[in-house]
Amino acid sequence: SCSESVLLRCSLPRCLDHHDDKPFPNFFQFARRTNKMRTLRFLSLTLLTLSLGGCGGGPNDSVTVAPVSGVVKLDGSPLPDAVITFYPEKGPTGIGMGDSSGAFIVKTNGQKGAPVGKCKVTVVAANQAGEVPEMDGNEAEYAKKTRLNAKYSSPETTDLIIDVTAEGNQNLQLDLDT
């Protein structure tokens, strides 16, 4: 019969080959293989983690933003309920929603401010009180229905370019014409 010391040293039943006091030689091979597999898994996970660490694209991307706020005016009068979008040369866009007096504050990835650097600025106004366009890439089509000049609705056609400084651009006045 098997001795208790052998069973205590080797809890895996398949480790015992003979009914003698020595554990099955494969137990040590199994233990070595298990340690190698653990080490291999650990190294693989570590390498994967390190390689993915440099991948971006998420909302927490490090982008330098500076406070940007102002007023949108159409033919000299405040333009209520407009969507103001700042398109930087590189990085995420900043978006501001105008209130009833045309005042807006820009946010980028949840942070107050717009990306630092040159930004093309688009403005899309609501057709009726409270109707705001969906931010789905069809803003130019929506803008054709508004009283704004359609050139302000697309980053390809807008002539509004703001250089956002590291200190920020407070009290901007965006003067638009029909």
Side-chain angles (χ1 to χ4, degrees):
S1 72
C2 296
S3 73
E4 284 184 14
S5 65
V6 171
L7 290 175
L8 289 176
R9 285 189 290 164
C10 177
S11 62
L12 297 174
R14 66 185 180 139
C15 294
L16 299 175
D17 185 36
H18 307 281
H19 293 289
D20 60 9
D21 289 344
K22 295 184 181 178
F24 183 66
N26 285 338
F27 170 74
F28 298 107
Q29 292 172 351
F30 173 77
R32 259 184 270 144
R33 187 172 55 232
T34 303
N35 285 337
K36 285 180 183 178
M37 288 170 43
R38 284 184 188 151
T39 303
L40 184 61
R41 273 188 279 178
F42 174 76
L43 289 174
S44 297
L45 260 168
T46 303
L47 288 173
L48 180 65
T49 303
L50 291 174
S51 67
L52 291 178
C55 297
N60 296 326
D61 279 352
S62 179
V63 61
T64 305
V65 297
V68 174
S69 63
V71 176
V72 179
K73 293 189 175 189
L74 178 63
D75 296 327
S77 299
L79 179 64
D81 305 318
V83 176
I84 301 92
T85 307
F86 281 66
Y87 293 91
E89 294 173 344
K90 181 176 134 184
T93 58
I95 299 174
M97 180 71 192
D99 63 13
S100 60
S101 65
F104 66 90
I105 297 174
V106 177
K107 287 186 177 181
T108 304
N109 287 345
Q111 299 178 48
K112 283 189 177 181
V116 173
K118 287 193 185 291
C119 294
K120 291 184 176 186
V121 179
T122 61
V123 180
V124 180
N127 274 337
Q128 302 163 359
E131 183 184 339
V132 178
E134 292 291 323
M135 298 305 288
D136 59 3
N138 295 316
E139 293 87 1
E141 290 301 313
Y142 183 87
K144 291 177 185 176
K145 303 174 192 172
T146 67
R147 62 186 187 265
L148 277 180
N149 188 326
K151 73 179 180 182
Y152 299 122
S153 66
S154 170
E156 288 80 30
T157 59
T158 187
D159 60 357
L160 298 172
I161 298 175
I162 304 292
D163 188 13
V164 178
T165 64
E167 296 80 33
N169 299 58
Q170 304 291 332
N171 303 316
L172 282 177
Q173 186 162 323
L174 302 177
D175 291 311
L176 314 178
D177 54 14
T178 49

